[in-house]
Amino acid sequence: MCTAATYKTKDFYFGRTLDYEISYGDQVVITPRNYVFDLREGGQLKNHYAMIGMACVMENYPLYYDAVNEKGLGIAGLNFVGNASYKKPVEGKDNITQFELIPWILGKCATVKEARQLLKNMNLIDTPFLPDLPVAQLHWIIADKEECITLESLEEGMKIYDNPVGVLTNNPPFNYQMFNLNNYMQLAVENRSNTFSENLELNQYSRGMGGMGLPGDLSSQSRFVRVAFVKMNSLSGDSEEESVSQFFHILGSVDQQRGCCKLGEDKYEITLYTSCCNTDKGIYYYNTYDNHQISAVDMHKADLEGEKLYTYAPIKGEQIRMQN
């Protein structure tokens, strides 16, 4: 499963964890403005905004998991198994496959406001990238420094939700996730007074007891609550170093360790990577399960007028700095 979040200090930050049992050869990929996307239902996407993100490149095509464009708009797709529903092509609509959605939005839109308008005529279709490659069941978080939305394609149709917490995980659908936060409205960052009974002398024996009840398991609903609480109460300086560091700490609250989520014989879900993109500067930061040092790729150091993808393999070996 996965978790995505936004964070704003002086600049705006957007990123996610990708939690899965295997990697598909993920790479940090810069798509320049003149790379041509051939759309499955006709037409081409060219002369678009440049973008950077983590993707699996197949047949020279970037299958983005998450990405940000040069204007500061970010999108991440997260597993939504059992609820995602895609349709067949419809005449008169923008028929877009789920794997085309991220480049289509980021290529055309500079803001969430523009994305809302573009989505009005979109029909998300069920065409696979390859005949033997299953269609990923996803929903999406779309954000800029001004607003954030969640996009879900359900059996009953397309849903676009305002996302005031700037967080997304997996199931259940987003409106249920938001409603569930009502069950945790008593959480606090400060210690609480005794409201159990005025006839009992109850003492606070530890710091942090205002957060008692915050879920700690790895389910998507619990991760939503935990990251929402941590993110909404998070404080840091506004320098790049402080902001990026704090973002990784926010998503670190739902980091998944090998051995804790068993999926089958010798299969365990882990946090393959965590990303954080400064959407104002176009710098994509990341770390991986076996390398906690933060690495970065700057999209503006590539030729954004080019036609070919720029790919960077993640640094996976642990980087330990010896001090003596």
Side-chain angles (χ1 to χ4, degrees), residues 7-297:
Y7 187 58
K8 187 175 181 180
T9 56
K10 181 175 61 177
D11 290 339
F12 180 67
Y13 300 86
F14 179 90
R16 57 96 55 82
T17 65
L18 193 146
D19 306 322
Y20 209 59
E21 67 270 24
I22 58 172
S23 170
Y24 289 96
D26 316 327
Q27 300 179 83
V28 181
V29 180
I30 298 172
T31 302
R33 300 176 187 120
N34 293 305
Y35 172 92
V36 178
F37 290 95
D38 292 310
L39 302 177
R40 291 301 173 93
E41 290 300 310
Q44 293 181 322
L45 179 59
K46 53 186 178 180
N47 306 121
H48 49 73
Y49 294 131
M51 60 196 78
I52 184 172
M54 193 72 78
C56 169
V57 178
M58 289 187 179
E59 300 186 350
N60 196 41
Y61 189 100
L63 298 170
Y64 278 112
Y65 309 138
D66 57 275
V68 169
N69 70 13
E70 60 184 299
K71 296 298 182 179
L73 181 66
I75 308 180
L78 285 76
N79 271 342
F80 195 44
V81 177
N83 282 303
S85 177
Y86 309 129
K87 313 305 179 185
K88 299 299 181 184
V90 175
E91 187 175 351
K93 288 282 192 176
D94 294 321
N95 294 298
I96 302 298
T97 69
Q98 58 84 17
F99 62 84
E100 293 170 335
L101 177 66
I102 289 180
W104 188 65
I105 294 291
L106 294 187
K108 289 175 169 286
C109 302
T111 64
V112 171
K113 184 178 180 180
E114 291 181 8
R116 287 182 188 269
Q117 290 299 118
L118 192 65
L119 290 169
K120 286 182 177 180
N121 196 52
M122 185 191 74
N123 178 42
L124 205 57
I125 60 175
D126 61 1
T127 304
F129 181 74
L130 293 172
D132 59 348
L133 189 66
V135 178
Q137 298 184 59
L138 306 172
H139 60 171
W140 294 265
I141 180 172
I142 307 174
D144 60 24
K145 64 171 58 179
E146 301 299 330
E147 59 178 324
C148 180
I149 60 175
T150 295
L151 171 67
E152 295 181 344
S153 182
L154 306 169
E155 182 66 32
E156 61 266 30
M158 189 77 68
K159 302 289 185 181
I160 299 175
Y161 299 101
D162 291 330
N163 186 335
V165 296
V167 170
L168 188 65
T169 57
N170 313 105
N171 290 316
F174 182 73
N175 57 329
Y176 292 98
Q177 298 275 32
M178 285 298 299
F179 182 82
N180 183 50
L181 292 182
N182 289 296
N183 294 320
Y184 299 92
M185 61 185 298
Q186 77 283 354
L187 296 180
V189 296
E190 72 277 355
N191 282 330
R192 306 300 298 271
S193 59
N194 173 22
T195 59
F196 187 91
S197 171
E198 61 182 16
N199 297 318
L200 293 175
E201 184 177 340
L202 301 177
N203 299 312
Q204 297 185 28
Y205 55 83
S206 172
R207 295 178 179 180
M209 292 178 68
M212 289 188 73
L214 183 67
D217 63 85
L218 299 178
S219 67
S220 55
Q221 185 158 299
S222 293
R223 284 184 283 106
F224 186 92
V225 175
R226 191 156 71 256
V227 169
F229 178 79
V230 174
K231 179 259 172 104
M232 298 299 285
N233 291 289
S234 188
L235 298 173
S236 74
D238 62 6
S239 71
E240 185 73 349
E241 293 77 11
E242 291 171 292
S243 301
V244 170
S245 174
Q246 188 71 357
F247 191 94
F248 278 91
H249 282 298
I250 292 169
L251 285 184
S253 67
V254 290
D255 194 55
Q256 296 205 38
Q257 301 78 29
R258 183 178 287 114
C260 294
C261 182
K262 188 172 184 178
L263 304 174
E265 186 67 28
D266 297 325
K267 290 185 178 180
Y268 297 92
E269 185 168 274
I270 61 172
T271 299
L272 293 171
Y273 75 83
T274 301
S275 68
C276 166
C277 190
N278 181 322
T279 68
D280 296 276
K281 294 182 171 65
I283 301 175
Y284 189 91
Y285 301 92
Y286 71 89
N287 63 21
T288 65
Y289 189 85
D290 292 314
N291 177 20
H292 285 83
Q293 183 182 74
I294 297 172
S295 303
V297 178

